[in-house]
Amino acid sequence: MFQSYLFDGKHHGRSARSSTTYLVCGMPQGSVLGPILFVLYSVDLIQMVESHGLSPHLYADDVQVYSSCSPAAVDALSAKISDCVGDIADWARSNRLMLNPDKSEAIWCTSRRQHQLPTAAISIVGVPITPARSVRDLGIYIDADLLTRAHVKRNGFAVLRCSPPIAPDPPSAADSHIPDARSGSGTSRLNYGNAVLVGILAYLVRRLQSVLNATARLIYHLRLHDHIL
């Protein structure tokens, strides 16, 4: 049965049926064995990153490399990361994949002494990557100072402006799921990854609370200054 997934595969378009093409590699999207075969396919990446003394994190086709160092060892760590990514690019080419350096990001993080953060670009397959002040990791925005300001900002009032229109009829008391369902991505975006918000600064908590209050007013068609419990 396992062999049937790897040999004599066929592919054709359904909306306007095309001629059948026989596949010499790859797996059908959504197949039962897809996740297992993907792990087998990409397991070499984990060993490769660890061989450079770095920590890997893989999610589908998103490969992340982590490490830490003292301020005096920044240059050595930058060189180590460049060498590691170079090996990843070689592995990708040998497996009919392509690493796009233009989509690569780098960030240095510290909770103090922000002035000591490196600003020099890191070479990724010959392309200089300037360290960013914030990056997105699976929907969570990480700041260089680890204060989650970017995450709060990008999941604030801008999310409400992008939410779909709310129906004019007010929700009933029984509709406990209404706030997430009817506000689209409003409160659901705030709830996603909310564990990173533990212990954030008080003014960021107030900002998030004001977004929740505005969401409630929007759903229940309240006035701007109506009190929200």
Side-chain angles (χ1 to χ4, degrees):
M1 180 177 179
F2 192 92
Q3 185 178 16
S4 66
Y5 279 84
L6 303 177
F7 298 97
D8 298 325
K10 302 176 183 178
H11 175 80
H12 66 83
R14 293 186 59 181
S15 56
R17 185 180 177 90
S18 63
S19 57
T20 300
T21 299
Y22 287 88
L23 304 178
V24 296
C25 61
M27 285 287 299
Q29 186 174 1
S31 64
V32 175
L33 293 179
I36 297 176
L37 293 178
F38 180 82
V39 170
L40 293 175
Y41 190 79
S42 59
V43 68
D44 292 342
L45 278 178
I46 298 176
Q47 299 174 350
M48 184 182 303
V49 173
E50 291 178 341
S51 69
H52 286 270
L54 304 172
S55 299
H57 180 213
L58 278 66
Y59 183 84
D61 61 347
D62 187 11
V63 180
Q64 301 171 9
V65 177
Y66 300 91
S67 190
S68 61
C69 69
S70 64
V74 164
D75 292 339
L77 179 57
S78 296
K80 185 184 296 186
I81 292 175
S82 296
D83 293 341
C84 177
V85 177
D87 288 347
I88 292 176
D90 293 339
W91 174 89
R93 283 191 295 268
S94 66
N95 286 276
R96 303 180 182 180
L97 301 173
M98 182 183 69
L99 186 147
N100 188 348
D102 293 331
K103 293 185 177 180
S104 300
E105 293 182 304
I107 186 172
W108 294 96
C109 297
T110 181
S111 58
R112 56 183 179 176
R113 299 180 182 177
Q114 290 292 302
H115 65 281
Q116 291 186 351
L117 284 177
T119 57
I122 299 177
S123 178
I124 302 297
V125 198
V127 177
I129 304 297
T130 302
R133 295 299 301 174
S134 66
V135 296
R136 185 181 181 184
D137 182 8
L138 302 179
I140 303 297
Y141 290 90
I142 302 174
D143 295 316
D145 56 10
L146 303 175
L147 292 180
T148 68
R149 277 190 291 249
H151 186 74
V152 172
K153 179 180 179 180
R154 293 176 179 270
N155 291 281
F157 288 102
V159 174
L160 290 181
R161 298 189 189 101
C162 298
S163 297
I166 303 296
D169 54 307
S172 65
D175 292 331
S176 59
H177 66 287
I178 286 296
D180 275 351
R182 300 188 66 189
S183 62
S185 59
T187 53
S188 60
R189 284 280 294 273
L190 293 178
N191 289 332
Y192 176 77
N194 57 13
V196 301
L197 303 176
V198 175
I200 63 175
L201 298 176
Y203 85 93
L204 294 176
V205 174
R206 290 193 296 269
R207 184 179 184 126
L208 291 174
Q209 185 61 57
S210 65
V211 174
L212 291 175
N213 293 346
T215 304
R217 293 188 184 99
L218 179 65
I219 294 171
Y220 288 93
H221 306 285
L222 301 178
R223 294 174 299 179
L224 178 61
H225 300 291
D226 284 345
H227 182 66
I228 303 296
L229 296 178

